Amino acid sequence: MQLKIEKITAYCAANSILLTNQQSLIIKIITEMSSPLTANEILHELQKINPKANRMTIHRALEFLVKNGLIHKIAFNHTYKLCSHLYCKHDHHCQILVCQECGNQTEIHHAQITEALLEISKTYNFKLANPVEITGLCTKCQMKGTL
Amino acid sequence: MQLKIEKITAYCAANSILLTNQQSLIIKIITEMSSPLTANEILHELQKINPKANRMTIHRALEFLVKNGLIHKIAFNHTYKLCSHLYCKHDHHCQILVCQECGNQTEIHHAQITEALLEISKTYNFKLANPVEITGLCTKCQMKGTL
DNA sequence: GACACTAATGTTACAGTGTAACATTATATC
DNA sequence: GATATAATGTTACACTGTAACATTAGTGTC
């Protein structure tokens, strides 16, 4: 965990990103939680430290963090998670397998898809954002369905 | 336009999907609009015909239509659009380029990505849903950004 | 047709996500 | 310290979606 925080600090320094206290707190909350969090969940955590915090606090910070590439927003279930660029070697493109049932997310970096995406980007003159969300059913939830 | 409606009817017949009047109206609204609609936009259209219609009406119908493969829900900007299976030859997998700025959507069927997705599905035992949303900036909005 | 049963729809109330507009507080710069 | 700028707090709002229950419409059985 400490490792992740250190990498975030290093990343910010390297990209001259200045985090305020509140922004640091929020990214710390996201880092420390094992699963992706919704804005509300982050808010509840933050309010334990800063009772004045409210929705705006969260959304402004999240917008900032997303814009600076520190976290991903997963549109499918409105969750936010640490961007893996910060603690793995993969560089640019990532894909996230999102389970429609349980919301579980698996971040992958698949060369074949990445390559295809780059081709699409050229063909359609479409500037790719990250990550690509691939929705479906995880192994567990497929099993549940057949019970 | 008429063509699309006919294909929908044929698809429903072939898959023994029975649409109620209201469901038919809603899919007609989605079909007739050129761009993907939000639930609210569909509601406003529907209320012109059925003033009693409300949010529940829409969401129940949309859920039904999504489940039966007639329409896609685009999580990124909460819009619904006709599923292209109904009027094109492509069979299973489709990808949608969603512009983060203007919301414009381009549906594509890219063999390379489809192939990669099938591989991922096997590797991770992940049952794919449709479509894959690829977010980014469309050509127009890239231009705007540089002005 | 009367009845029961089921599915669809209407109604009300709520929770969650996100933004706009403006007020206040911190922070930096001179 | 005065001033400008950025961040945060506050209030109010719009939109998306669901839960729970009431009502209506449709279907089959007798």
Side-chain angles (χ1 to χ4, degrees), chain B residues 38 40 55-56 59 73 80:
Chain B
T38 66
N40 246 15
R55 216 179 358 269
M56 279 312 303
H59 282 292
K73 171 167 187 178
Y80 300 84

Side-chain angles (χ1 to χ4, degrees), chain B residues 49-111:
Chain B
I49 304 162
N50 172 11
K52 278 191 174 178
N54 60 19
R55 216 179 358 269
M56 279 312 303
T57 318
I58 296 296
H59 282 292
R60 277 195 280 237
L62 291 175
E63 187 191 357
F64 178 88
L65 295 172
V66 167
K67 201 162 62 187
N68 284 285
L70 288 154
I71 61 173
H72 289 316
K73 171 167 187 178
I74 310 303
F76 182 76
N77 55 3
H78 308 152
T79 55
Y80 300 84
K81 71 191 290 284
L82 204 61
C83 174
S84 70
H85 298 167
L86 298 176
Y87 53 92
C88 84
K89 283 179 193 137
H90 301 283
D91 227 19
H92 270 325
H93 298 283
C94 83
Q95 301 92 38
I96 298 189
L97 306 179
V98 186
C99 178
Q100 291 176 320
E101 275 300 307
C102 67
N104 185 39
Q105 298 178 13
T106 310
E107 186 161 343
I108 64 175
H109 301 77
H110 196 271

Side-chain angles (χ1 to χ4, degrees), chain A residues 134-147:
Chain A
I134 301 170
T135 49
L137 289 181
C138 71
T139 310
K140 276 186 193 171
C141 292
Q142 285 174 57
M143 307 253 290
K144 276 181 213 157
T146 57
L147 287 183

